[in-house]
Structures are given as structure tokens and as C-alpha cells.
Amino acid sequence: MTATIQSTSTAKPKGDRWQHKELEAAIKNPAITRVSEAGLYGVVRRGKDGSPSVMFRWRFRHGGKLLDFTCGTWPKDSLASIRQTHEWAQDELKAGRNPNATRQLSKVQEAQAQAEQVRIHETETVEALALKWQSVELTKRVSGEQETGRFDNGVELMRSFTKDVFPAIGSKPVQAVTKTDCLHILNSVKERGALRMANRLLNDLTQFFNWCRVMGYITTSPLEDVRRKHVGGKATPRDRVLWDVSPTTTKPEAELQELRDRLPSARLQRESELTIWILLSTMARVGEIAKAQWKDVDLTKGVWFLPETKNGKAHHIHLSTFALRHFRELHSLTGTSQWVLPGRNMRKDGTPADHVCPKSLAKQFGDRQERDTPMSGRTKATGTLALPGGKWTPHDLRRTGATIMAHLGVSVDIIEKALNHTPANSLIAVYQTASRFQEQQIAWDKLGAHLDWILTGEQSNVVALPQKLIA
């Protein structure tokens, strides 16, 4: 049906709908002062330049009174949105509410919300937002197969913030924090000689301010153009191995034997002792053993499957006789849990809620090396694992295993495969994709046999035949 051009005295036709072009053509006629369609009436107005517009209203009865509700002004508002607003108003009336009152209340609430948001943005402090960030983003959560947050729920990060960040800018509104404030904090850490800590704090602060930006508390991060070179610089790669690589040495295995001899006095849990030898003999990362599940460890075939690794690729580790022996003992201790190394937090049914935190393993070994006096709530067996070559970490065991493999004549490319490293050369990564698992098996068996000889004085007579990897 074609819409009818109305005069101020003509009754509204029912069922008519205006099309944009049709309405535009109709109101070019200066005599037209009123248009209508399907329950709506529009008052035509003309600007000083003669450009027309139509204010559409809906007339309804509420509380015994005849009222008008403005649905929008065309062409600023489209005809579709005007009709949608009209339908919303009708629904409000059907529900017994005055749509004018509902709209006014909504505007008041929106204004209050905006004012509150402005107040929050102007007054929310760095410390308050950091605690909120920890609760929202850093606290570990598992939804289906997706895991978010940090292993320690951000406790270590908040410890460093409490020490270095909050005393300086914790009470400042986040909007008032400047690049100079942040660099002053980072330089203070750097002046203590803690370059690695300065770099780590830069990363954490950058993540925090980026979260504040995404959440709308700030428009730009004060650390937007700050890089490591401006703070701690490029960290020197660690090269610590528990194996004397000097050509003149007659006993390269001395530190590993000393570690073996010192373990009884370190008062570690047996699970942690076994972890040391598993990391050494498999060259796995500490995070990989911490997150390992027994369903991925085949103690019959002697294969440990790593579905997720640092480079994003699944990895299989052949378990030598040495590694398998330690895994089996570990299974006798933790096999009732899904985790190879279960954490302390328990579910209501008494089973471990999660795996051990990788940092807790590093702390166990670190506290037994560096500290002269024990920290509150930590081990009293300080200094028991200190070795002549200096401080060692769980990752140094991975490097030590690779070094021993090289000492035994294993080629570099096989060692890199066993370490699950991504080739630095992109062409090699693309074209040389063979796993060479049988050669890796031989390498792991050589490593395990040598560790047996070093630590027990016995050479294993068991030689596993290389097998094809079956997915």
C-alpha cells in the first residue's frame, strides 16, 4: 500500500509504512506538515536552510491520561530504529509501565553509571587495580580444557609488586602514573644488581598496564614504548652445567656425585629427589614434569608423551632404564593421583586439585643452596645442596643431560630433537620434519646407562632395541 500524504486535519491511515525515498520526496512539498504510519504520527519540521525532518511520536493512554512518546527523528534516526523503539514502548505499556518513565529512569541510571565510572577512573589506585587484576586474570581457573591464570595465582608477582611497586606508586590513581614513575621503580631494582628481576618486573608491569588499558582505566600505558634495553638489558644466557667440560678434567661427573651424596641431608621429599634424576635423564623442562599426568606416561613401553610443550609441538621422550626406574618409584608414591607431581591443594573428595607449581620445585632446590639462615615457613636445611660450581636450577639439569649426551658422541641434531628445540634455521624447520625417534632412543639409553655408571657404579646390561614411534 502506498503511504498517504497527510495534512494536519486528515485522519491517520492504518497499515501504511513509509519508505525512505518515498518520505523524502513527500516532505519536499512545504504544505506537508504531518505524516503518519501504523500507529505513529510525524510532525514535519524545517530548518533555517529549509531542510526537512520528521519527529515521530506514538500516542498512548496510561493511568487514565493520554500521553505522547517520542520514537525518534528522521532522517537522523532511521525508520527501522524508530519502528523498533515504537515496538519497545508498546511492550512496556503491555507490561503496565509508562515507557516515558522507563526511558527517563534509564537515562538517569546511565548518567549515574558514567559519573561513577569517571570517579573510578580518576581515583582507582594502582594497588587496588593490581589486586583486582590478580583476582580476575592471574588466579588460576580451569574451564573445560582451557586453563587460564598463573600456576601460583600471581602470588610471586604480587610479592614483587608489594616490595618495589606499591611503596612508590601504590596509592596513586592509575591515570596519574607516568613513565618516569615506572622507570624510577625499574632503575631502583637495577641498582640493586638484579637485572633479571628488573626485566621480569618490566614484563609484569607492562601486562598490568595493558590490562588497565583494555579495561578502560587508562587510554595509553605509561610503558608503551619502554623495552628491556631501557631497563635491565638483554639477560646473559645461563650456561651452568653440573658436568666439568674443561678438557683437562679427569672427573667431569664430580658435581653430580656430590649432589647424590648431599641429597640425604637436604631433607627433600622423595618425590622431589626423584624429580631431579628424571629431569636429568629425560632432559625435560621443569614445567613439563610439573604438569605431567600419569595417563601420558607408559611405564610398560617406556615412553613419556608430552601433549603440550614450550614450542607448541607434542613431544615423545623415550625412558631409559635409569629414567624408568625413577618413574616407577615415583608412581608408587603418587600413582593414585592423576598428576605425576600432585600439589598440596585438595578437593573435597581428598584428591589433589592440581599439579605442583614449577616454581615451588625451583624454590625447594634454591633454598637449600643460597641462604645462610632459613626463611620463616621454609626449609631449615639451607646450604645442603650448594655445589662447587655455583647455584644450579632445575633447567640446568636439562642442559647437563644434553652436555653428557654430547660427551657420549651423540650428534647435535639428535640432541636438539631430544630437547624438542625448534630449529633456528627456518628452512630446516620447514623441510626436515622427520622425528628420528629411533636415534633419540639410542641417545637417551646412552645417557641413562652413563648416569647409572656415574651414580651407582654399575653399567646397565639392558639395551633397548630402537622402536618405531606409534602415535
Side-chain angles (χ1 to χ4, degrees):
M1 182 184 295
T2 303
T4 305
I5 299 174
Q6 304 292 327
S7 69
T8 55
S9 59
T10 304
K12 302 174 187 176
K14 294 182 180 180
D16 287 355
R17 290 258 183 177
W18 289 99
Q19 300 300 319
H20 182 90
K21 291 293 184 182
E22 183 185 19
L23 181 58
E24 190 175 49
I27 62 176
K28 285 182 179 179
N29 183 351
I32 301 301
T33 59
R34 194 177 175 96
V35 295
S36 64
E37 70 158 54
L40 289 171
Y41 72 90
V43 177
V44 180
R45 295 178 175 179
R46 302 183 188 277
K48 292 181 179 179
D49 60 353
S51 58
S53 62
V54 183
M55 179 182 288
F56 281 96
R57 288 176 174 157
W58 171 53
R59 183 157 289 174
F60 65 99
R61 188 175 294 278
H62 181 79
K65 295 181 180 180
L66 197 61
L67 305 171
D68 283 340
F69 177 82
T70 302
C71 297
T73 300
W74 178 90
K76 183 181 73 171
D77 302 314
S78 70
L79 292 172
S81 68
I82 290 170
R83 289 164 186 149
Q84 187 176 15
T85 304
H86 179 212
E87 290 173 2
W88 172 83
Q90 289 176 308
D91 290 340
E92 284 293 299
L93 184 62
K94 288 177 183 177
R97 296 185 289 267
N98 182 344
N100 285 322
T102 303
R103 174 189 276 171
Q104 185 60 32
L105 178 61
S106 178
K107 287 181 178 179
V108 170
Q109 290 174 338
E110 184 179 352
Q112 290 174 342
Q114 288 178 347
E116 177 64 11
Q117 194 70 9
V118 169
R119 185 194 68 78
I120 289 173
H121 284 195
E122 290 178 348
T123 61
E124 197 77 87
T125 65
V126 169
E127 184 169 359
L129 284 176
L131 292 170
K132 187 178 293 186
W133 178 48
Q134 181 190 24
S135 174
V136 173
E137 295 292 331
L138 306 185
T139 300
K140 188 173 181 182
R141 293 180 177 85
V142 178
S143 178
E145 296 184 356
Q146 187 175 8
E147 186 177 290
T148 60
R150 298 197 178 192
F151 288 112
D152 65 346
N153 298 317
V155 172
E156 186 65 23
L157 178 146
M158 294 305 295
R159 185 201 64 76
S160 68
F161 273 31
T162 301
K163 180 179 180 181
D164 294 308
V165 178
F166 295 158
I169 61 172
S171 60
K172 260 192 170 187
V174 70
Q175 284 192 335
V177 176
T178 65
K179 181 197 295 186
T180 302
D181 292 331
C182 297
L183 289 177
H184 176 73
I185 294 169
L186 295 167
N187 285 332
S188 297
V189 177
K190 183 178 178 180
E191 287 167 5
R192 299 202 302 260
L195 298 185
R196 287 178 178 273
M197 181 62 70
N199 283 336
R200 189 180 308 146
L201 186 56
L202 171 62
N203 290 340
D204 291 338
L205 279 171
T206 299
Q207 289 182 36
F208 167 65
F209 285 119
N210 283 341
W211 177 81
C212 290
R213 179 181 56 77
V214 170
M215 299 304 294
Y217 293 103
I218 54 178
T219 54
T220 58
S221 167
L223 290 171
E224 189 172 10
D225 58 352
V226 178
R227 301 290 180 267
R228 282 192 176 189
K229 64 182 180 182
H230 303 127
V231 185
K234 186 176 181 180
T236 304
R238 284 182 62 83
D239 57 2
R240 175 80 166 98
V241 290
L242 281 69
W243 184 266
D244 192 343
V245 295
S246 59
T248 57
T249 186
T250 58
K251 198 173 183 182
E253 67 278 3
E255 275 201 305
L256 286 177
Q257 292 175 338
E258 184 168 347
L259 174 61
R260 172 202 61 195
D261 296 339
R262 283 177 167 270
L263 276 176
S265 61
R267 291 189 285 182
L268 283 168
Q269 291 184 337
R270 182 56 180 164
E271 294 93 322
S272 298
E273 292 184 4
L274 294 168
T275 298
I276 291 175
W277 305 124
I278 289 173
L279 288 173
L280 179 63
S281 58
T282 62
M283 304 188 304
R285 298 177 176 90
V286 65
E288 293 166 347
I289 184 68
K291 293 190 292 184
Q293 299 186 50
W294 282 117
K295 67 181 179 64
D296 295 322
V297 182
D298 191 328
L299 296 177
T300 303
K301 294 182 178 179
V303 177
W304 174 17
F305 174 59
L306 283 66
E308 295 182 9
T309 64
K310 186 176 180 180
N311 66 7
K313 298 179 181 178
H315 184 47
H316 290 81
I317 293 178
H318 165 69
L319 301 179
S320 63
T321 302
F322 179 92
L324 196 56
R325 183 170 71 249
H326 289 85
F327 253 122
R328 283 176 174 157
E329 183 179 349
L330 187 56
H331 187 264
S332 70
L333 299 173
T334 68
T336 56
S337 167
Q338 73 180 98
W339 309 105
V340 170
L341 294 174
R344 293 183 178 180
N345 295 330
M346 307 299 284
R347 298 188 180 96
K348 291 182 180 180
D349 62 1
T351 59
D354 205 350
H355 53 75
V356 70
C357 172
K359 288 185 178 180
S360 74
L361 291 170
K363 287 178 184 176
Q364 287 181 51
F365 305 147
D367 285 353
R368 288 165 171 79
Q369 296 178 64
E370 293 184 316
R371 303 192 182 282
D372 296 324
T373 56
M375 291 179 66
S376 176
R378 304 274 274 270
T379 181
K380 293 181 173 57
T382 55
T384 51
L385 293 183
L387 297 174
K391 182 183 177 182
W392 58 274
T393 68
H395 195 78
D396 296 334
L397 298 172
R398 171 176 163 88
R399 190 181 299 108
T400 300
T403 302
I404 296 174
M405 268 194 183
H407 170 80
L408 297 172
V410 179
S411 64
V412 172
D413 55 331
I414 294 301
I415 295 174
E416 290 293 289
K417 287 281 188 182
L419 289 167
N420 195 30
H421 278 167
T422 300
N425 187 315
S426 59
L427 288 178
I428 292 177
V430 171
Y431 290 104
Q432 296 187 22
T433 59
S435 70
R436 302 176 70 180
F437 189 70
Q438 292 178 322
E439 294 169 89
Q440 293 178 59
Q441 282 181 284
I442 295 172
W444 271 307
D445 281 333
K446 282 185 176 181
L447 173 60
H450 202 65
L451 290 175
D452 257 326
W453 174 75
I454 290 170
L455 300 173
T456 68
E458 298 179 3
Q459 188 77 37
S460 173
N461 293 322
V462 177
V463 180
L465 296 176
Q467 301 175 3
K468 291 184 178 180
L469 180 61
I470 301 175

